[in-house]
Amino acid sequence: MSTFLLVHGAWHNGRCWERVVPLLESAGHRVFTPSLTGYGDKAHLLGPEVGLDTHVEDVVKLIHEEDLAEVVIVGHSYAGLVISSVANEVPERIAHLVYLDAMVPEHGETAVDVQPMTQDLIDLAAMSDSAWRVPPLPEMPPPLGLFGVTDPADVAWLRTMLSDQPVRCLEQPVRLDNPAVNLIPRTHIHCVGVEPEGITRRPVAALQPNGSPARVWELPTGHDCMITMPTELSELLLKLDL
């Protein structure tokens, strides 16, 4: 039995994993899908003081409270920053890092460094009455849809999960200065074929930080693959060498 800790990306909450959870649990694994501060059951805590460090603390606290070990931690999108700093804090509890169509930072980088178009969102927010919050990206015509989701029923469901993202989350740097992080194996899962203009993905180095060959898998779907291809995503997660 493995323990999966699935961390949602910007604007979303833990409910976005609802289609993946039963598939992993039916294979005998424990699954945790927390909502980060400002989202889901913690939406009332949304405020300008919420940042990347807040979200890292959310996850580290959960790991300690539940006494989790040998954790497979999956970070979607923005949460690539979150899981990187979490691994820096508690590397001894992490068995595998999975970057799911995610930002993959170096030490000291922010979301803006990893995904430069993020600065455009911050600049737009600065011109609004609430300069500290960035609203979700708008729905685009198919095949882009809303975060890659195009089915009308799924789009309606996704809308019930979305909240604004505090600017501070996008401007705080990742901490990756613990050498033990480099020993943790990692896998990258890319959603391909439906990529909005302006979104860039860094190439994955041929070798992981631990010296093993890089492992990069692809899903032919939009960004929110946990909604559009939950079965295929679960199958990939179950293939990890744990």
Side-chain angles (χ1 to χ4, degrees):
M1 182 182 71
S2 297
T3 298
F4 285 90
L5 177 48
L6 312 180
V7 186
H8 66 82
W11 302 297
H12 293 56
N13 68 44
R15 290 175 53 222
C16 69
W17 304 102
E18 284 185 0
R19 296 175 180 175
V20 174
V21 171
L23 300 174
L24 297 179
E25 289 182 336
S26 66
H29 304 296
R30 299 175 72 195
V31 187
F32 292 85
T33 60
S35 289
L36 302 174
T37 296
Y39 306 97
D41 59 343
K42 299 177 182 176
H44 62 289
L45 300 176
L46 184 70
E49 73 285 350
V50 174
L52 173 62
D53 289 351
T54 312
H55 293 159
V56 172
E57 183 180 354
D58 288 339
V59 179
V60 171
K61 182 179 178 182
L62 172 65
I63 290 172
H64 285 305
E65 287 180 345
E66 297 289 341
D67 194 22
L68 304 183
E70 294 297 308
V71 177
V72 179
I73 188 167
V74 181
H76 179 241
S77 196
Y78 154 78
L81 308 180
V82 178
I83 68 169
S84 295
S85 278
V86 168
N88 195 71
E89 294 291 318
V90 288
E92 72 282 358
R93 292 179 178 261
I94 308 300
H96 208 104
L97 286 164
V98 180
Y99 291 91
L100 179 58
D101 218 34
M103 298 184 183
V104 185
E106 300 291 338
H107 174 63
E109 289 189 322
T110 69
V112 175
D113 295 318
V114 182
Q115 188 59 256
M117 66 84 64
T118 304
Q119 185 63 54
D120 296 335
L121 303 179
I122 295 172
D123 292 343
L124 284 173
M127 295 186 288
S128 70
D129 294 334
S130 299
W132 62 268
R133 56 200 298 166
V134 178
L137 297 177
E139 183 177 359
M140 305 292 287
L144 297 177
L146 184 63
F147 296 101
V149 178
T150 56
D151 178 83
D154 287 347
V155 169
W157 180 54
L158 176 55
R159 287 191 184 282
T160 68
M161 304 179 210
L162 301 181
S163 303
D164 290 351
Q165 177 86 348
V167 166
R168 189 173 176 83
C169 296
L170 309 175
E171 294 183 330
Q172 282 191 320
V174 168
R175 294 188 302 277
L176 273 173
D177 54 359
N178 186 339
V181 174
N182 294 330
L183 303 178
I184 303 172
R186 56 176 64 186
T187 296
H188 302 262
I189 302 177
H190 294 164
C191 299
V192 300
V194 186
E195 300 172 18
E197 185 177 353
I199 301 294
T200 58
R201 178 184 290 128
R202 285 179 168 175
V204 177
L207 295 178
Q208 299 181 39
N210 67 4
S212 300
R215 177 155 55 181
V216 182
W217 293 333
E218 295 183 346
L219 287 172
T221 188
H223 187 53
D224 278 6
C225 57
M226 72 288 293
I227 295 176
T228 58
M229 297 188 77
T231 300
E232 294 84 352
L233 172 59
S234 300
E235 290 173 348
L236 289 183
L237 294 177
L238 293 171
K239 285 172 55 179
L240 294 171
D241 299 328
L242 306 174

